[in-house]
Amino acid sequence: MAGGPVLTRRDGLKGLVGVAAVAGLAACGGGDDEGSGNGGGESGGGTGGDVIANGTEPQNKLVPTNTNEVGGGRLLDSLWAGLVYYKADGTPENDIAESIESSDAQNYTIKIKSGQTFSDGTPVTAKSFVDAWNYGALGTNAQLSSYFFEPIEGFEAVQSEPPTAQELSGLAVVDDTTFTVKLLQPESDFPLRLGYSAFYPLPESAFADMEAFGENPVGNGPYKLKAEGAWQHNVRIDFVPNEAYDGPRKAQNDSLSFVFYETYDAAYSDLQGGNLDVLDNIPPSALATFEDDLGDRAVNIPSAVFQSYCIPERLPHFGGDEGKLRRQALSYAIDRDQICETVFSGTRTPAKDFTSPVIAGYSETVPGNEVLSFDAAKAKQLWAQADAISPWSGTFTIAYNTDGGHQEWVDAVTASIRQNLGIQAEGAPYPTFAQIRTEVTNRTITGAFRTGWQADYPGLYNFLGPLYATGAGSNDGDYSNPQFDALLQQAASTTDQDEANKILQQAQTILFTDLPVIPLWYSNASGGFGENAQNVQFGWNSVPLYYQVTKS
C-alpha cells in the first residue's frame, strides 16, 4: 500500500526474523453513544487538542482485506491494532500480540494479549483474527489483499473457482488467545508482515453485512469513528480516541480528522493559513520553497516509496518482443536526474531498482539497471527496432489523478518521450485517485498509468511479490514470468534473510529485462506541520504517526 521514512531501517532489519523463536513483536478496544455499533461517541483519551490532517477519499469501504491504497490505509491504521506495529524506523514491535513463535519458520504459534476489545465493546480473540483472515483469503469475497494469505496452507483451495474449501486449512484456533498458522513452506519474514492491515482482526458483527460494516467500521485501535456517519464521502472523516485501547500507539490528541482535499495545493494553502495541522505531501508548486516557507516545520527525509508507471502487455504494441523493446526505449528516453531536480527540487531520487534505498538488502547495482539511465540515442534505436516488428501509430498516454500532485512530472516525462522518440505523448488526467484506481482494477484503462508502492512492511519481498508475481493482488499490469515467480518462491523459503535478499536481487534482473513497470524515482517524505502542532514524526513508510501529534 500500498505508500515516510526513517532512516535506520537498514540496520534494524538484518536478521530480525529467523527460524528461531520469534517473540516480542502490541493492543486495543470501544463504546457507543447511540447504539449504532460503530463505537461512536465523543470520548476523550488524549489531551493534545483536535488534530486535522490531509487525506484522500478511499477507493473502497474500510474493510482491512479490501484496502490496498494509501488513502484508505492510513485510516485503517488509525482504527485498528494488529499483531505488530512498526516503529518510526520500521522496527516491528508487538501491538496486540503477546508472542509470535516458531522453531522452523513454517509453523507459527501466535498468542494475543487477553482482555482486548473492539470499539463496540466485543472481545478481540484468536477467532477474530482467524475469521478475518479466512474472509480475506476466500476467493468468492474478491478481496484486493487476498494475496497476502497465499503463503498459508489451504490458500489454493479457498481461491479455486468455485472454492473447494471455505477456510484456510493452515489456520487453527487453540483457545481464546492462541491460534496457529501453518505455511506451505518456511518463510522467515512472515512475522514481519503481520503489521500490515490485511492481517487485522474483525468483530463478529462485520460478517453480517461487510459493505455496511465498511461504511461505519469497528476496529480495535487507537481511534474509533466520532459517530455513525462520521465518514463524509469526498469531504472528511472524523475520529476520536478509543478509550478501550491501551497499547503502544495510544492517542495523545483529543480528536483526529482527515480532510479530503481535491489538490495538494489547497492543502498546502490551508497548512500555511493555520487550518491544517499535518500535511504528508508537498505540491510540486511549493517544492522549491516549502523548506524556506516552513523552516523547522518542514519534513524532507528518505522513505519506502517507489514511483513508476505501468504499461499493461494487453495494450496494442506492448506485448511480446515488440513490447519489451518499446518499454526499454521509453525508459531510456526519460532524464530522471533532471526531472528530480527541476520538478521535485531534490525531494525525489532517481530509481536504481524496483524497491527502496531504506530497505535492508537494497542494492543500486542490480545487473540490467542501466536501462534506467538517460540515453536518447539508445531510446531511438530500440523504438526503431520495435517499429520494424509493427509500426507505431497513435498517442502514448500516461493516466494520473489530478488530486495527487502528479501533473507536473507526467508533463515532464511525456515531454521527454515526445522529444526523444519523436512520437505524440501526453498525460491523461482523472479527477480523483478513486476514479483512476477503479479503471485500473477493472482493467478498463486504455493506456499507461502512474503507479507507485508504499511498503506494507519493511522488506524487499514486499516491493516485488505483491506487484509482479503472477496473479498478485497489486499486479495492475497482469505481468507473469515463471522464472521470476520461481525466484520469489525460493527467496521466501530461505530462512537466512541476507541470502533471501540476494535471490530477490537476482529476481530483479528479470524485471529489468521485462519492465512490467517503468521505474522512475524514490520519494522522500516531504511534508510539513502547522505552527501549533507538536510531536510530529513521519514513519519509515512516509505516513505521519498521527496518534502522537498534539497541539498547543
Side-chain angles (χ1 to χ4, degrees):
M1 188 182 325
V6 198
L7 337 193
T8 59
R9 163 158 26 11
R10 267 184 204 127
D11 302 321
L13 294 184
K14 270 200 178 166
L16 183 65
V17 192
V19 280
V22 180
L25 291 185
C28 286
D32 181 355
D33 68 342
E34 296 178 347
S36 62
N38 71 338
E42 297 191 36
S43 64
T47 56
D50 301 312
V51 171
I52 301 175
N54 72 292
T56 54
E57 173 73 11
Q59 180 186 4
N60 299 306
K61 304 296 185 183
L62 293 174
V63 176
T65 51
N66 205 39
T67 300
N68 66 348
E69 40 80 26
V70 176
R74 76 185 66 198
L75 305 182
L76 294 182
D77 292 343
S78 295
L79 292 170
W80 263 271
L83 293 166
V84 307
Y85 78 104
Y86 305 114
K87 296 170 68 174
D89 66 355
T91 303
E93 297 283 352
N94 279 352
D95 198 334
I96 198 172
E98 187 73 47
S99 62
I100 302 172
E101 298 182 342
S102 178
S103 59
D104 60 3
Q106 184 171 2
N107 295 278
Y108 290 88
T109 297
I110 299 174
K111 294 183 180 293
I112 65 171
K113 297 172 182 175
S114 61
Q116 306 300 310
T117 64
F118 291 100
S119 62
D120 62 357
T122 59
V124 178
T125 65
K127 189 173 183 293
S128 306
F129 284 93
V130 170
D131 287 351
W133 295 12
N134 278 325
Y135 179 87
L138 185 61
T140 51
N141 291 328
Q143 298 294 283
L144 291 174
S145 293
S146 63
Y147 173 81
F148 280 89
F149 305 104
E150 185 173 11
I152 301 174
E153 185 181 83
F155 182 78
E156 185 174 340
V158 300
Q159 280 281 309
S160 63
E161 297 182 10
T164 58
Q166 296 295 303
E167 297 179 348
L168 292 162
S169 59
L171 296 180
V173 175
V174 177
D175 55 41
D176 280 352
T177 58
T178 310
F179 67 101
T180 59
V181 183
K182 183 177 182 180
L183 305 182
L184 292 169
Q185 61 184 19
E187 302 210 10
S188 59
D189 74 345
F190 181 71
L192 185 61
R193 307 174 196 176
L194 296 179
Y196 180 54
S197 57
F199 297 102
Y200 288 161
L202 286 173
E204 201 169 316
S205 61
F207 302 99
D209 187 340
M210 197 63 74
E211 183 82 3
F213 173 83
E215 182 70 20
N216 289 281
V218 174
N220 64 323
Y223 294 94
K224 60 184 180 181
L225 293 186
K226 183 176 181 180
E228 186 173 10
W231 180 3
Q232 302 174 55
H233 290 281
N234 299 299
V235 179
R236 64 187 289 154
I237 191 168
D238 298 306
F239 297 159
V240 293
N242 175 13
E243 67 279 359
Y245 175 77
D246 194 29
R249 297 185 296 131
K250 195 170 182 65
Q252 302 302 306
N253 41 60
D254 296 313
S255 70
L256 173 63
S257 297
F258 291 93
V259 175
F260 304 146
Y261 288 90
E262 290 187 6
T263 67
Y264 276 106
D265 286 291
Y268 187 66
S269 179
D270 266 6
L271 181 72
Q272 291 181 298
N275 297 315
L276 183 66
D277 300 310
V278 184
L279 177 64
D280 74 338
N281 199 9
I282 300 297
S285 61
L287 286 176
T289 60
F290 83 101
E291 291 182 285
D292 290 333
D293 293 343
L294 300 179
D296 59 8
R297 295 183 290 112
V299 176
N300 186 20
I301 52 178
S303 72
V305 179
F306 167 84
Q307 298 287 344
S308 57
Y309 71 91
C310 178
I311 314 170
E313 290 188 45
R314 60 179 170 78
L315 298 181
H317 297 290
F318 285 101
D321 290 339
E322 179 192 356
K324 286 184 181 181
L325 290 167
R326 295 203 187 279
R327 287 184 178 81
Q328 292 170 22
L330 288 162
S331 183
Y332 277 116
I334 303 168
D335 191 340
R336 294 167 178 79
D337 291 283
Q338 183 183 53
I339 293 173
C340 286
E341 191 54 45
T342 59
V343 174
F344 294 115
S345 299
T347 60
R348 304 290 189 274
T349 303
K352 300 294 184 183
D353 79 333
F354 290 80
T355 68
S356 164
V358 303
I359 299 295
Y362 166 82
S363 172
E364 61 179 24
T365 59
V366 178
N369 74 347
E370 63 273 5
V371 75
L372 303 184
S373 58
F374 175 55
D375 189 333
K378 182 81 169 176
K380 290 175 183 175
Q381 176 189 355
L382 291 165
W383 195 261
Q385 290 177 27
D387 278 343
I389 298 174
S390 176
W392 171 264
S393 62
T395 300
F396 180 78
T397 59
I398 301 176
Y400 65 96
N401 50 301
T402 58
D403 62 350
H406 299 289
Q407 180 178 346
E408 286 80 0
W409 74 256
V410 171
D411 286 348
V413 168
T414 52
S416 291
I417 292 170
R418 287 195 303 271
Q419 178 178 343
N420 297 312
L421 295 181
I423 64 171
Q424 184 58 35
E426 60 189 30
Y430 285 70
T432 67
F433 178 78
Q435 286 175 285
I436 189 174
R437 283 305 307 171
T438 297
E439 287 207 16
V440 169
T441 301
N442 293 339
R443 303 303 193 257
T444 55
I445 201 158
T446 58
F449 51 90
R450 62 153 291 261
T451 45
W453 190 251
Q454 179 178 350
D456 303 311
Y457 62 90
L460 284 184
Y461 185 94
N462 183 239
F463 283 86
L464 304 177
L467 280 80
Y468 314 117
T470 300
S474 295
N475 186 344
D476 292 331
D478 297 320
Y479 173 70
S480 180
N481 184 309
Q483 290 177 294
F484 177 79
D485 291 342
L487 287 170
L488 279 186
Q489 186 174 12
Q490 183 183 348
S493 63
T494 301
T495 55
D496 183 315
Q497 202 57 53
D498 288 338
E499 183 62 30
N501 286 337
K502 291 178 183 177
I503 298 169
L504 292 173
Q505 302 300 13
Q506 186 181 349
Q508 286 198 76
T509 64
I510 296 174
L511 297 184
F512 277 125
T513 298
D514 295 344
L515 289 177
V517 301
I518 308 297
L520 294 172
W521 38 74
Y522 315 114
S523 297
N524 279 11
S526 303
F529 52 94
E531 292 182 352
N532 296 323
Q534 300 160 342
N535 304 313
V536 178
Q537 185 177 18
F538 281 51
W540 63 278
N541 59 351
S542 82
V543 176
L545 306 184
Y546 298 108
Y547 60 89
Q548 68 181 34
V549 179
T550 59
K551 285 175 70 175
S552 58

